[in-house]
């Protein structure tokens, strides 16, 4: 499976996302923000970082990048799209998923290994999990507070579009402890923590078994690959 990873000016985790795809058994394809060509990829990842310096709003300028025209069209046709941290912000700004993001409630950048609960295990990117499963994924953001109006929160909660929820502590003040959401179709998922940083033993979060041994993030990438292979 060929998975495109788009690099924007200010992207920091595009190479990490490519490596995660490779470890999961897929073929990463480097894509460029200024192009209008997705190169026929089977899935797309919008990586973390500070696209365009996070000027205006985090992800706002990137949502108007040339390649986003193709991303929106592909997403609307059912192509799996994953937005991680800054990519989550881009998806919201492009209106591919509901909600928006503001500065963390404590007004500070945060970095921690974060426990999450899987709320929706039926999306293209989460079908390898089970509903209610708790996982640990690294988190690092300054504008990670998920917000939405009351009607939107009620709708996404009722329709099962909340994909992940923070457990133990809400690190940024996100409404309803929401850490990730999906579109109604389930092919587009955005989350604030970074699964690409928890895919290889020795480089992930600490676990009771050993330091830096956590690989919960790998399931995001194997989920989309296995689903594609099963079709």
């Amino acid at each position: 499976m060929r998975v495109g990873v788009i690099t924007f000016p200010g992207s920091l985790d595009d190479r990490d996302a490519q490596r995660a795809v490779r470890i999961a058994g897929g073929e990463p394809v480097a894509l460029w923000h200024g192009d209008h060509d997705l190169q026929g990829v089977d899935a797309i990842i919008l990586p973390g970082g500070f696209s365009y310096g996070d000027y205006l709003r985090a992800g706002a300028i990137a949502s108007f990048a040339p390649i986003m025209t193709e991303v929106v069209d592909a997403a609307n046709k059912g192509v799996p799209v994953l937005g991680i941290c800054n990519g989550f912000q881009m998806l919201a700004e492009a209106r591919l998923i509901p909600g928006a993001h503001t500065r963390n409630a404590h007004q500070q950048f945060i970095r921690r290994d974060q426990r999450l609960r899987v709320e929706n295990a039926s999306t293209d990117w989460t079908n390898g999990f089970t509903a209610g499963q708790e996982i640990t994924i690294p988190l690092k953001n300054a504008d990670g507070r998920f917000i939405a109006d009351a009607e939107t929160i009620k709708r996404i909660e009722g329709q099962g579009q909340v994909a992940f929820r923070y457990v133990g502590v809400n690190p940024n003040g996100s409404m309803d402890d929401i850490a990730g959401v999906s579109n109604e179709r389930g092919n587009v998922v955005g989350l604030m923590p970074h699964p690409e940083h928890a895919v290889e033993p020795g480089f992930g979060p600490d676990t009771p078994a050993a330091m830096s041994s956590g690989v919960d993030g790998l399931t995001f990438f194997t989920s989309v690959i296995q689903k594609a292979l099963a079709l």
Side-chain angles (χ1 to χ4, degrees), residues 138-219:
L139 171 79
K140 50 177 184 176
N141 63 73
D143 298 276
R145 182 172 177 251
F146 179 84
I147 61 170
D149 60 76
E151 182 178 344
T152 298
I153 292 291
K154 181 179 180 180
R155 185 181 77 253
I156 64 175
E157 290 280 10
Q159 295 180 167
Q161 288 179 247
V162 176
F164 297 93
R165 216 179 295 273
Y166 296 116
V167 175
V169 62
N170 184 329
N172 45 36
S174 292
M175 298 180 71
D176 278 16
D177 299 328
I178 294 172
V181 299
S182 74
N183 65 348
E184 292 183 24
R185 190 170 183 172
N187 63 303
V188 180
V189 172
L191 77 157
M192 195 50 57
H194 287 258
E196 77 279 15
H197 295 326
V199 298
E200 191 172 13
F203 299 92
D206 293 343
T207 72
M211 293 178 60
S212 305
S213 62
V215 293
D216 289 339
L218 186 60
T219 302

Side-chain angles (χ1 to χ4, degrees), residues 23-217:
I23 291 173
E27 177 188 348
V29 178
L31 302 176
W32 185 242
H33 73 109
D35 294 337
H36 279 286
D37 184 5
L38 294 176
Q39 300 184 33
V41 297
D42 305 298
I44 302 164
I45 297 174
L46 307 181
F50 301 91
S51 59
Y52 298 92
D54 273 352
Y55 293 114
L56 184 60
R57 288 186 309 276
I61 298 177
S63 70
F64 291 100
I67 203 167
M68 288 300 291
T69 301
E70 280 64 43
V71 172
V72 171
D73 183 58
N76 289 334
K77 291 178 179 177
V79 172
V81 180
L82 177 66
I84 303 169
C85 194
N86 194 220
F88 186 12
Q89 295 158 344
M90 294 178 208
L91 292 177
E93 293 286 343
R95 301 297 183 261
L96 284 173
I97 55 176
H101 298 87
T102 63
R103 181 67 80 176
N104 293 345
H106 45 66
Q107 300 295 304
Q108 296 180 5
F109 182 89
I110 187 169
R111 191 280 177 221
R112 57 176 285 125
D113 290 337
Q114 178 66 49
R115 286 170 56 213
L116 305 175
R117 184 170 62 248
V118 180
E119 299 288 358
N120 185 341
S122 63
T123 77
D124 288 356
W125 298 91
T126 63
N127 60 81
F129 297 110
T130 58
Q133 180 179 350
E134 292 191 8
I135 61 177
T136 301
I137 302 292
L139 171 79
K140 50 177 184 176
N141 63 73
D143 298 276
R145 182 172 177 251
F146 179 84
I147 61 170
D149 60 76
E151 182 178 344
T152 298
I153 292 291
K154 181 179 180 180
R155 185 181 77 253
I156 64 175
E157 290 280 10
Q159 295 180 167
Q161 288 179 247
V162 176
F164 297 93
R165 216 179 295 273
Y166 296 116
V167 175
V169 62
N170 184 329
N172 45 36
S174 292
M175 298 180 71
D176 278 16
D177 299 328
I178 294 172
V181 299
S182 74
N183 65 348
E184 292 183 24
R185 190 170 183 172
N187 63 303
V188 180
V189 172
L191 77 157
M192 195 50 57
H194 287 258
E196 77 279 15
H197 295 326
V199 298
E200 191 172 13
F203 299 92
D206 293 343
T207 72
M211 293 178 60
S212 305
S213 62
V215 293
D216 289 339

